[in-house]
Amino acid sequence: MEEFSRFVDWDKMDVSAQSQDTKELTCTDFHELKQLARQGFWAKNHSLRAKVYHKLISNIPCRTVTPDANVYRDIVVKIVGKRSSGSLPLPEFVDDSLVPTYCLNAEGVGAVRKIILCIANQFPDISFCPALPSVIALLLHYNKDEAECFEQVCRILACNDPSKRLIDQTFLAFESSCMTFGDLVNKYCQAAHKLMVAVSEDVLEVYSDWQRWLFGELPMAYVARVFDVFLVEGYKVLYRVALALLKFFHKVRAGQPMESDSVQQDIRAFVRDIAKSVSPERLLEKAFAIRLFSRKEIQLLQMANEKALQQKGITVKQKRCLLMFQQNVHLAVHAENFKSEIVSVKEMRDIWSWIPERFALCQPLLLFTTLEHGCSLSRFYSHSEGHEPTLLLIKTTAKEVCGAYLSTDWSERRRGGNKLSFFGTGECFVFRLQPEVERYEWVIIKHPELASAGSETENHAQPASSTLSSSSIPSDRLSPFLAARHFNLPSKTASMFMAGSSECIIVGGGDGQALYLDADLNHGRTSHCNTFNNQPLCSESFQISILEVWGFRD
């Protein structure tokens, strides 16, 4: 342990938690290494963790020319000069107010700033990297000198494996990761998301803090455990842990009044004091219990979010762009510009909080309404086609209100010829607003084991047997659920999200809910699977009072 003690203030460390056992790590198999990291094999041995970090980081594939320890020794004096390390100004790509000390001594705190400045000198392309100070502060615990730490951080930053994303280095990558995290919260932490919508004016602003929770507020012992697994498994681990933090926050604070005027501040305080309620082991256990998307699906979702930001012209951190972005999100459903005969502005904003973040940047655009265009399925198609995604709203004569978010252009129905063919992606969902608000997830995503049993939908039509592959979808229509094969589903149930023909529309399957609309758009019915205890979407058979279709306008 003495070998890696130069920058550590041991009076602030819990030495009792450290083991003096002389363990060695000899395994090279990835799956075995993953299990050891999750179990904390090297977590209680400071020297062993240092050696494991060195081994894992040394194996990161990097650019041919990556700055090493010798480069640091050559440039540090020139860059720092005779200035006090504690007063060194930090580059704009890091948050000067958030440089964690992680039980470092005075020399270690100064070393963090020196290394950041040298990295800024060697990596001019970095424009936004708020996690960098935390990573450096952590790695100083497990390095003999500044130069060695500098080399390790450079290897992480210079990783050139396209399948192994590590640290965001641009504002575009960071902001799209925040949107992706928001999408994941919407899918996997619905109770917490509902709370965020209720107590925050701008949900995305709350979720933009997700990396700060990990690399700023989380105590040293927790960050180290997260980093153990992160170096083995990559970026997806960060999403998992942040989701677990939000779940624990909701569980601990459920029913309690907010401690401040800002839920952002409350979450930050909760994460800082997490040791009062959750152990590092329990946090990781919760994180890995979440049945998250595959790495490929998350990458696709990230790409889609990046493209949405680029289309909005938001690629760098500029006050004007950020203000426009936040206004687009918060004011997408504006009282002065929105009018529906089915839902109120508040109800539409609630729906907007459920849709993928990249489309929450858009404003609702009324495409079709039975009040103006009549009850014609052909006119429904003609007004809806060419728009992707769309939002279907229905009000029944019994005052029930339900609807669906439909991810795919209705023109896709023609791929099956005259037969009723199913299409769409796993981002589709159905919901109810009246008499009670309820959102229904898809069975084949949330409960894939039920897909093989089929659904009532199969009794009415035979879906197309072929599944959509990523190569058959244009690049401007990326979705995190391009191919149902990701869920290991039989082809018969692969694309049962939405369907349409000249005779009817079928939408649903989520949590056993399915919606059927007849060609005259006057009558409809629902099917409800009794596997779950949720309430039906609406009456089993109903008459339509008003039907609206909404698109998304940039």
Side-chain angles (χ1 to χ4, degrees):
M1 194 154 63
E2 293 290 335
E3 189 179 6
F4 303 99
S5 299
R6 176 176 172 181
F7 303 108
V8 182
D9 185 343
W10 289 104
D11 291 336
K12 297 179 181 178
M13 294 281 286
D14 183 6
V15 182
S16 63
Q18 292 294 313
S19 170
Q20 300 302 320
D21 294 343
T22 56
K23 294 193 294 186
E24 294 292 335
L25 183 69
T26 57
C27 80
T28 56
D29 178 72
F30 171 76
H31 295 289
E32 184 181 352
L33 192 62
K34 182 171 74 171
Q35 290 305 313
L36 291 175
R38 292 187 180 189
Q39 293 165 8
F41 179 80
W42 54 81
K44 294 185 178 181
N45 189 309
H46 195 86
S47 297
L48 179 59
R49 179 180 262 157
K51 294 173 184 176
V52 172
Y53 279 9
H54 178 79
K55 179 180 179 180
L56 293 174
I57 295 174
S58 297
N59 289 333
I60 294 176
C62 296
R63 298 194 290 257
T64 305
V65 180
T66 298
D68 58 15
N70 289 328
V71 170
Y72 182 83
R73 296 185 185 101
D74 291 340
I75 66 174
V76 64
V77 175
K78 176 182 176 182
I79 292 174
V80 176
K82 297 182 179 180
R83 292 178 293 178
S84 168
S85 57
S87 63
L88 293 173
L90 294 180
E92 291 185 0
F93 64 71
V94 299
D95 187 344
D96 198 1
S97 65
L98 198 65
V99 181
T101 59
Y102 290 156
C103 306
L104 294 174
N105 56 28
E107 182 183 7
V109 173
V112 173
R113 289 179 171 268
K114 291 163 66 177
I115 293 172
I116 290 175
L117 286 178
C118 290
I119 286 174
N121 174 268
Q122 294 295 303
F123 290 84
D125 292 338
I126 296 180
S127 59
F128 196 72
C129 192
L132 186 60
S134 176
V135 172
I136 295 173
L138 176 65
L139 288 177
L140 275 171
H141 278 257
Y142 306 104
N143 280 283
K144 299 175 184 178
D145 57 35
E146 297 170 13
E148 189 179 87
C149 180
F150 169 84
E151 180 174 328
Q152 289 191 354
V153 177
C154 287
R155 291 194 65 83
I156 292 173
L157 294 171
C159 174
N160 62 359
D161 183 350
S163 66
K164 193 178 181 69
R165 179 180 177 182
L166 293 176
I167 298 179
D168 294 330
Q169 301 174 41
T170 66
F171 181 72
L172 179 62
F174 171 81
E175 199 63 33
S176 64
S177 78
C178 296
M179 294 172 65
T180 301
F181 179 70
D183 288 326
L184 297 178
V185 173
N186 201 355
K187 181 70 70 174
Y188 295 102
C189 306
Q190 291 184 21
H193 182 66
K194 188 175 181 180
L195 174 64
M196 298 302 109
V197 172
V199 300
S200 173
E201 290 186 353
D202 188 347
V203 178
L204 186 55
E205 185 179 355
V206 177
Y207 297 152
S208 292
D209 250 11
W210 80 278
Q211 288 196 28
R212 177 174 179 146
W213 304 341
L214 304 175
F215 297 115
E217 307 295 353
L218 207 58
M220 160 73 186
Y222 292 74
V223 176
R225 289 289 283 113
V226 172
F227 207 74
D228 291 346
V229 191
F230 166 73
L231 284 178
V232 177
E233 300 187 42
Y235 200 88
K236 185 177 175 181
V237 169
L238 304 183
Y239 284 132
R240 285 188 176 280
V241 176
L243 288 170
L245 287 171
L246 197 60
K247 281 178 175 286
F248 277 122
F249 172 79
H250 177 261
K251 180 179 179 180
V252 173
R253 297 291 177 84
Q256 299 180 15
M258 292 290 123
E259 295 183 355
S260 70
D261 294 333
S262 167
V263 69
Q264 273 184 292
Q265 296 300 328
D266 279 9
I267 296 176
R268 291 175 186 177
F270 171 78
V271 175
R272 279 195 301 271
D273 298 330
I274 194 171
K276 295 178 181 178
S277 53
V278 182
S279 68
E281 292 73 25
R282 182 73 184 97
L283 178 63
L284 289 180
E285 180 184 337
K286 186 77 168 179
F288 290 109
I290 300 171
R291 193 171 184 175
L292 204 57
F293 300 147
S294 70
R295 183 177 286 103
K296 181 177 181 180
E297 288 158 347
I298 291 178
Q299 287 174 343
L300 289 170
L301 182 55
Q302 183 95 8
M303 289 166 59
N305 285 332
E306 283 190 9
K307 182 166 185 179
L309 289 169
Q310 287 173 325
Q311 290 173 340
K312 290 289 182 180
I314 302 168
T315 58
V316 295
K317 187 181 181 183
Q318 296 176 347
K319 189 173 182 181
R320 181 182 64 84
C321 285
L322 279 174
L323 183 60
M324 287 172 56
F325 178 53
Q326 291 168 355
Q327 286 177 339
N328 276 331
V329 173
H330 182 51
L331 301 179
V333 185
H334 198 285
E336 296 178 1
N337 303 324
F338 174 77
K339 183 177 168 125
S340 167
E341 299 299 328
I342 299 178
V343 297
S344 65
V345 171
K346 181 186 180 305
E347 287 173 325
M348 195 61 151
R349 284 178 176 167
D350 287 341
I351 297 171
W352 234 243
S353 73
W354 297 334
I355 65 176
E357 292 287 358
R358 64 189 184 278
F359 296 117
L361 298 170
C362 305
Q363 294 181 340
L365 173 67
L366 183 61
L367 303 175
F368 174 86
T369 171
T370 51
L371 291 180
E372 180 180 344
H373 303 107
C375 300
S376 165
L377 189 54
S378 61
R379 281 197 289 270
F380 170 95
Y381 288 138
S382 65
H383 285 272
S384 302
E385 287 177 3
H387 295 271
E388 184 180 283
T390 54
L391 192 68
L392 176 68
L393 297 177
I394 297 171
K395 184 175 183 179
T396 72
T397 54
K399 308 297 183 184
E400 298 166 308
V401 175
C402 62
Y405 170 80
L406 304 170
S407 65
T408 307
D409 192 331
W410 277 105
S411 63
E412 286 290 319
R413 78 187 193 283
R414 296 185 182 138
R415 291 168 65 94
N418 295 325
K419 295 181 179 179
L420 184 68
S421 61
F422 288 77
F423 53 96
T425 72
E427 285 188 310
C428 298
F429 61 87
V430 291
F431 58 87
R432 184 185 69 218
L433 295 177
Q434 297 290 343
E436 295 177 357
V437 177
E438 184 74 48
R439 175 189 166 188
Y440 302 93
E441 288 297 324
W442 292 101
V443 167
I444 68 169
I445 292 175
K446 194 172 182 181
H447 305 281
E449 68 278 3
L450 298 179
S452 59
S455 71
E456 185 176 331
T457 308
E458 295 179 72
N459 296 327
H460 299 275
Q462 184 74 16
S465 60
S466 61
T467 61
L468 298 177
S469 66
S470 57
S471 60
S472 67
I473 304 294
S475 60
D476 61 343
R477 287 166 53 188
L478 283 173
S479 162
F481 319 112
L482 288 181
R485 58 184 163 75
H486 292 162
F487 302 104
N488 298 317
L489 298 174
S491 60
K492 190 174 183 181
T493 56
S495 301
M496 295 182 63
F497 299 109
M498 51 193 287
S501 70
S502 60
E503 298 179 357
C504 70
I505 286 174
I506 302 176
V507 173
D511 278 1
Q513 305 290 345
L515 184 66
Y516 305 82
L517 303 181
D518 295 336
D520 60 8
L521 297 184
N522 278 319
H523 300 88
R525 56 194 175 87
T526 62
S527 70
H528 174 57
C529 174
N530 293 323
T531 306
F532 309 100
N533 293 323
N534 51 3
Q535 296 298 312
L537 191 61
C538 60
S539 301
E540 186 173 348
S541 179
F542 58 87
Q543 286 190 312
I544 298 172
S545 173
I546 309 171
L547 183 148
E548 295 176 347
V549 179
W550 292 80
F552 294 74
R553 177 177 57 196
D554 290 334

